[in-house]
Every structure is written in structure tokens, then in C-alpha cells.
Amino acid sequence: MRTTPVAVTAALVAALTLAACSSGSGDDTAKSSTDSTSSADSANGKSTACKADQFGIDFGPSSAAPAAGDTGTIPVTLTNRGASCTLEGMPGADVYAGDTSWAVSPDQAATATKLTLAKDQAVTFTITYVRGVAGDTKKAADVDKVTFTLPGDSAPQSYKWPDAGVAVKSGDELDITVGPFLPAGD
């Protein structure tokens, strides 16, 4: 959350600078510098939100929860196959058991990130869940599908749920979270 105030401040300063330049009261050198920076950012793709269709996506392999009450994880790795782009925020995710769906909450300990990815760079995020009691619909949902979306892209990516049922916290909430984007490898 530290980055949010800095980002808001930077955006406000940029907006005020552009407003001063366009009203004729700014310095031409400053305007030229701002225009050059904006053009360079656009050319480098820094201001473009990443889209799922430009990524190679590896879903899993999972680390299944062996018994009810145990925690399992499913890593998702995204490798940029297109132009430079930016991921800012958290991945969105939903899980389904037939026609019933649940939103996957962001991990409460996670901080949203902003990562600019060049071609062939990779990031990962993890879906973490608690295994439910098999056969008990009050304690487990027999999830069969998971979808996720990237911030700034509404196209859902859908995958078969690879593990056992997910523990039910309440009727409308499962014991499952999604983590932040993290750089993959070194």
C-alpha cells in the first residue's frame, strides 16, 4: 500500500504539469520533456496493460492438500510473449462447482504490485486453498473449474480444478485465496 500514495502523488504532479503546459503558463522545455517521456513510455509499452492473450500460461502443477484441513497450492506462471506491458494490481479468480460459483479473495497479507514485463519475462501467482471434508456439502465444495483474469483485461482464463474439494467457510465463501504477482526466477 506504500506504492499507492506515491503513484497517486506522481499522477497528480503529472496532471498538474500537463495542465500548466496546455494552458500556456508552463515552460516549453518542461512540456517537451513531458511529451518525450510519455512518447517513450508508450513506445516501450509501459503504459499498456497486459492482456492474457499475449502470455504463455502454465497452470500448475499443483501441490495438492493430502487430507481434509490441509493446505494446497496451485502456481500459475505467465510468460510474456508480446510487447512490453504492465501488470498492476492483483489477479482476479473465481471457482465453480457445476453452476455454483465463488469469488476467490485476495490473500489478506498480499500487497498489490506493479510489474512491467519485457518480452519473455515471467511472473507467477499462487492460488492457495484448504481441502474440505469429502462428501460433506456443508464442509466442502466439489470445485471442478477455476478461472482468473488479469488487472485491466476482462478475458477469463479457464482451467480444470486439479485437486480435491475446497473447504467451505460459510455458504458463500470458500477457504481459498489468490496471491499477488511475483517475478518468476531470478
Side-chain angles (χ1 to χ4, degrees):
M1 292 197 180
R2 282 187 190 164
T3 60
T4 302
V6 172
V8 171
T9 303
L12 182 58
V13 169
L16 291 174
T17 301
L18 288 174
C21 290
S22 63
S23 69
S25 63
D27 177 50
D28 287 340
T29 305
K31 183 176 192 259
S32 175
S33 173
T34 301
D35 291 345
S36 297
T37 302
S38 297
S39 297
D41 285 350
S42 294
N44 291 330
K46 289 183 181 178
S47 61
T48 304
C50 294
K51 303 293 182 197
D53 64 358
Q54 75 186 77
F55 285 99
I57 301 173
D58 290 320
F59 186 81
S62 65
S63 174
D70 290 341
T71 300
T73 59
I74 304 167
V76 180
T77 303
L78 308 167
T79 304
N80 186 7
R81 301 291 184 220
S84 178
C85 65
T86 301
L87 285 171
E88 184 171 9
M90 297 279 289
D94 294 292
V95 292
Y96 298 81
D99 293 334
T100 305
S101 67
W102 294 266
V104 177
S105 300
D107 181 344
Q108 291 182 349
T111 302
T113 57
K114 180 177 181 179
L115 299 169
T116 299
L117 303 172
K119 184 175 179 162
D120 296 326
Q121 279 190 306
V123 295
T124 187
F125 67 90
T126 302
I127 298 170
T128 303
Y129 71 97
V130 173
R131 183 173 177 169
V133 177
D136 187 342
T137 58
K138 292 182 181 181
K139 295 184 180 181
D142 289 329
V143 172
D144 53 23
K145 180 174 77 170
V146 58
T147 63
F148 70 86
T149 56
L150 303 179
D153 185 10
S154 61
Q157 303 303 302
S158 181
Y159 294 89
K160 181 179 178 194
W161 183 256
D163 295 330
V166 178
V168 174
K169 279 186 167 181
S170 67
D172 60 349
E173 187 179 9
L174 299 183
D175 200 347
I176 184 169
T177 60
V178 62
F181 295 107
L182 300 171
D186 289 330

